[in-house]
């Protein structure tokens, strides 16, 4: 099986939000798709180990905020490389509540869904959500998964369904300075060794010291 084939599938980049009791939480997901238009239905695949998974199961609802090319990449660091088990991901994030679920302002639109079915795979739950509210927030270009990799230079952690495909890409690359937290590859004009110590990863905001040579 040639796993590089999977790299030719296209996706967007979304924040999937839900509730942990009263507390909003959520994670980044690329694996969202519209299943049918009437009634409007969305599917999203969430890893069993993600805190968000159990929270969606308990709440029975989730929202999907659509990231744009101008969205703060730090949001992907917060929601995609940390766990709601350990941090309040919505602290300092501009959000508003729709149908009880927090939605990110820094997005071009949102959908709120009630879970109507779910299917377990060995690693992920596929949630099927009927859309109960949706709106366009800004006229900005939605971020594609390809843009996240090619322009933001971000990577996907092991809980993303596309993880193995990313490993294939990394294996092929030459020596680089890479953020050990989120996988961002430094591509600045000056050699990484000469970058000021105050430098922080543009995706996950971690310090220069977490970068490793690969
Ligand atoms: C670009 C990107 C795409 C991701 N896609 C998915 C996905 O589709 N499904 C999933 O379960 N995790 C995905 N992840 C991983 C989760 O966002 C990540 O494991 C997160 O830290 C889980 O947080 P939680 O424990 O608070 O739920 C993705 C991460 C990134 C950065």
């Amino acid at each position: 099986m040639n796993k590089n084939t999977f790299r030719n599938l296209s996706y967007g980049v979304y924040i999937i939000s839900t509730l942990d009791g009263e507390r909003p939480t959520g994670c980044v997901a690329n694996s969202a798709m519209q299943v049918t238009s009437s009634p409007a239905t969305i599917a999203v695949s969430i890893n069993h180990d993600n805190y968000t998974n159990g929270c969606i199961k308990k709440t029975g609802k989730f929202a999907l905020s659509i990231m744009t090319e101008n969205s703060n990449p730090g949001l992907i660091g917060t929601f995609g490389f940390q766990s709601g088990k350990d941090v309040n991901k919505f602290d300092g994030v501009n959000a508003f509540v729709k149908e009880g679920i927090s939605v990110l302002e820094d997005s071009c639109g949102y959908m709120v869904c009630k879970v109507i079915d779910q299917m377990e795979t060995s690693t992920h739950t596929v949630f099927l959500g009927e859309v109960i509210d949706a709106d366009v927030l800004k006229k900005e270009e939605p971020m594609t998964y390809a843009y996240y990799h090619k322009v933001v230079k971000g990577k996907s952690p092991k809980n993303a369904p596309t993880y193995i495909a990313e490993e294939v890409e990394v294996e092929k690359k030459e020596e680089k300075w890479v953020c050990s937290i989120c996988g961002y590859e430094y591509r600045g004009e000056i050699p990484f060794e000469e970058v000021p110590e105050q430098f922080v990863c543009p995706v996950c905001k971690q310090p220069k010291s977490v970068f490793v040579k690969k």
Side-chain angles (χ1 to χ4, degrees):
M1 177 167 53
N2 183 352
K3 289 181 176 166
N4 282 315
T5 315
F6 301 133
R7 299 186 52 74
N8 293 331
L9 289 169
S10 306
Y11 309 94
V13 179
Y14 313 101
I15 307 286
I16 305 300
S17 50
T18 186
L19 283 172
D20 175 23
E22 306 266 293
R23 183 181 74 118
T25 192
C27 71
V28 176
N30 61 280
S31 61
M33 63 179 279
Q34 183 171 1
V35 177
T36 178
S37 58
S38 184
T41 306
I42 298 290
V44 61
S45 169
I46 302 294
N47 194 287
H48 295 152
D49 294 337
N50 286 357
Y51 195 63
T52 305
N53 186 311
C55 293
I56 295 177
K57 284 176 182 161
K58 281 186 209 138
T59 309
K61 274 189 200 171
F62 63 89
L64 180 151
S65 299
I66 305 166
M67 296 289 92
T68 81
E69 292 181 358
N70 298 326
S71 293
N72 176 3
L75 289 170
I76 299 177
T78 304
F79 284 88
F81 293 92
Q82 299 185 50
S83 181
K85 272 191 291 258
D86 313 316
V87 290
N88 284 323
K89 296 190 182 184
F90 276 87
D91 281 359
V93 170
N94 292 329
F96 57 94
V97 176
K98 284 283 171 181
E99 299 288 338
I101 308 295
S102 291
V103 167
L104 276 79
E105 277 180 21
D106 193 1
S107 65
C108 62
Y110 70 88
M111 287 152 211
V112 185
C113 303
K114 70 167 187 209
V115 176
I116 53 167
D117 211 341
Q118 64 193 53
M119 185 176 77
E120 300 299 340
T121 72
S122 57
T123 56
H124 288 68
T125 307
V126 179
F127 291 101
L128 210 55
E130 186 177 323
V131 180
I132 52 175
D133 188 23
D135 209 352
V136 174
L137 299 178
K138 294 184 210 172
K139 284 211 162 116
E140 283 183 6
E141 207 53 46
M143 186 187 288
T144 64
Y145 196 53
Y147 183 95
Y148 172 69
H149 287 286
K150 290 186 187 143
V151 182
V152 182
K153 310 282 185 212
K155 222 180 87 178
S156 303
K158 68 172 170 50
N159 287 358
T162 44
Y163 174 64
I164 291 169
E166 298 314 316
E167 270 186 341
V168 173
E169 181 196 45
V170 169
E171 275 165 17
K172 283 181 159 180
K173 286 193 174 154
E174 292 165 10
E175 196 171 83
K176 285 187 179 66
W177 282 92
V178 175
C179 175
S180 61
I181 306 298
C182 73
Y184 168 82
E185 288 169 12
Y186 173 75
R187 297 274 177 92
E189 301 211 332
I190 52 172
F192 188 74
E193 288 86 345
E194 292 167 31
V195 165
E197 289 309 312
Q198 305 91 293
F199 172 85
V200 291
C201 173
V203 175
C204 68
K205 310 292 175 207
Q206 297 302 305
K208 183 182 174 187
S209 56
V210 306
F211 277 69
V212 291
K213 201 191 245 181
K214 291 228 167 141

